């Protein structure tokens, strides 16, 4: 049997935690805890089956609009998760990167982000991008600022700005664009995730809430992906 084509780079919008909790009469934070467990399972699975890049959307630049209580429970969950990652990822060959402006987080979380990045920097296995305080528009605005500075300093002429150069100023610099982006929870929108990078990504909305998501659902998504005909504007 011919080998099924797997995406090299998979993106996941981890959505539906709140609705999952509501359905059970639990606080939204309980949904986030359940979602974090699923996240661990999916990271491990992707790394074992040979996904090269996995990008997960964990907190958007717009998620600060949520009630303060929910935001702080998410921040403590991120800390718990990263502490756990420091203890347990030592055995996993996963390189962790963070996409987004992490400078606004509290010192504890910033330190954990830095440690996890450093500890895993020389890993040779799957690259795990965690999008935290990430927004596609903010990322593009930042890239434009970086390029404008190069122009201002005489290092670059405006007409030398190419698509490749813009890509090289994004958080995902040097990585291939996502081949497949899946969004559990049934919401049919991109919500500011990887706007530039997803120009030709295959997109799959799944009618399942993230805390209920299993490796079977992921396998289903891979089957759908393998059946898609990617044309990139050609024939
Ligand atoms: C996604 O789940 C997690 C984050 C945005 C941090 P939601 O919290 O958005 O869950 P729903 O969409 O309200 O169900
Ligand atoms: C997108 O989900 C952000 C993350 C999953 C981290 P949201 O729940 O914030 O998106 P909207 O508000 O439904 O568009
Ligand atoms: Mg949501």
């Amino acid at each position: 049997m011919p080998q099924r084509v797997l995406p090299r780079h998979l993106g996941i919008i981890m959505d539906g935690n709140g609705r999952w909790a509501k359905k059970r009469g639990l606080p939204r934070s309980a949904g986030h805890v359940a979602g974090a467990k699923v996240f661990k399972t999916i990271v491990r699975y992707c790394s074992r089956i040979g996904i090269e890049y996995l990008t997960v959307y964990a907190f958007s630049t717009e998620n600060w609009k949520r009630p303060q209580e929910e935001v702080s429970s998410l921040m403590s969950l991120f800390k718990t998760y990263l502490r756990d990652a420091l203890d347990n990822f030592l055995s996993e060959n996963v390189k962790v990167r963070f996409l987004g402006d992490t400078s606004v987080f509290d010192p504890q979380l910033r330190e954990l982000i830095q440690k996890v990045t450093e500890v895993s920097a020389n890993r040779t296995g799957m690259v795990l991008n965690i999008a935290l305080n990430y927004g596609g528009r903010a990322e593009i605005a930042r890239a434009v600022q970086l390029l404008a500075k190069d122009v201002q300093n005489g290092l670059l002429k405006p007409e030398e700005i190419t698509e490749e150069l813009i890509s090289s100023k994004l958080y995902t610099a040097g990585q291939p664009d996502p081949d497949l982006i899946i969004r559990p929870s049934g919401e049919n929108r991109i919500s500011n995730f990887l706007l530039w990078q997803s120009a030709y990504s295959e997109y799959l909305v799944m009618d399942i809430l993230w805390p209920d998501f299993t490796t079977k659902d992921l396998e289903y998504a891979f089957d759908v992906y393998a059946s898609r005909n990617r044309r990139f504007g050609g024939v």
Side-chain angles (χ1 to χ4, degrees):
M1 223 175 80
Q3 251 219 299
R4 183 180 56 163
V5 195
L6 277 179
R8 265 188 90 189
H9 186 168
L10 169 69
I12 306 180
I13 301 176
M14 304 188 291
D15 195 21
N17 296 351
R19 277 163 281 173
W20 182 91
K22 196 172 171 203
K23 259 176 46 184
R24 286 165 179 72
L26 297 169
R28 292 178 60 85
S29 56
H32 297 313
V33 172
K37 281 206 189 101
V38 171
F39 166 61
K40 266 167 76 169
T41 308
I42 296 300
V43 168
R44 259 199 208 112
Y45 189 76
C46 286
S47 150
R48 305 237 158 112
I49 65 170
I51 297 294
E52 291 175 60
Y53 299 85
L54 170 64
T55 302
V56 293
Y57 205 4
F59 193 85
S60 77
T61 47
E62 287 74 40
N63 287 148
W64 297 106
K65 290 180 197 159
R66 295 187 177 203
Q68 227 254 284
E69 192 186 282
E70 180 171 351
V71 171
S72 44
S73 79
L74 279 166
M75 295 302 142
S76 26
L77 190 63
F78 296 148
K79 286 179 202 170
T80 309
Y81 177 78
L82 294 178
R83 278 193 202 103
D84 178 56
L86 279 174
D87 294 341
N88 295 311
F89 265 176
L90 296 173
S91 56
E92 294 272 336
N93 191 16
V94 172
K95 178 172 173 158
V96 187
R97 313 262 334 258
F98 292 85
L99 316 183
D101 179 10
T102 55
S103 72
V104 300
F105 292 126
D106 74 39
Q108 256 186 339
L109 183 52
R110 283 203 321 260
E111 198 189 321
L112 282 163
I113 287 172
Q114 200 193 336
K115 267 199 188 143
V116 170
T117 309
E118 275 171 21
V119 165
S120 70
N122 297 320
R123 303 270 172 77
T124 53
M126 185 177 82
V127 173
L128 169 64
N129 296 311
I130 304 179
L132 263 194
N133 190 24
Y134 173 87
R137 287 188 170 186
E139 179 184 41
I140 294 168
R142 175 179 169 270
V144 171
Q145 285 180 7
L146 294 171
L147 290 169
K149 270 182 203 144
D150 284 350
V151 172
Q152 192 178 36
N153 295 332
L155 299 168
L156 189 68
K157 294 198 189 88
E159 57 276 18
E160 286 168 352
I161 297 175
T162 58
E163 293 182 14
E164 289 71 29
L165 205 53
I166 293 173
S167 294
S168 77
K169 300 291 184 187
L170 301 177
Y171 293 116
T172 49
Q175 302 186 10
D177 287 336
D179 300 293
L180 172 67
I181 294 179
I182 59 185
R183 179 161 194 163
S185 93
E187 300 296 356
N188 215 320
R189 54 176 170 264
I190 201 80
S191 299
N192 211 5
F193 186 52
L194 302 178
L195 294 183
W196 176 273
Q197 299 90 331
S198 66
Y200 271 101
S201 302
E202 294 299 319
Y203 191 60
L204 178 65
V205 172
M206 298 177 76
D207 229 338
I208 180 165
L209 302 173
W210 176 248
D212 288 327
F213 194 88
T214 66
T215 54
K216 275 212 177 87
D217 300 306
L218 190 60
E219 281 299 330
Y220 168 79
F222 290 152
D223 286 341
V224 172
Y225 173 76
S227 74
R228 296 264 179 101
N229 179 10
R230 302 183 78 187
R231 285 190 289 275
F232 300 97
V235 285

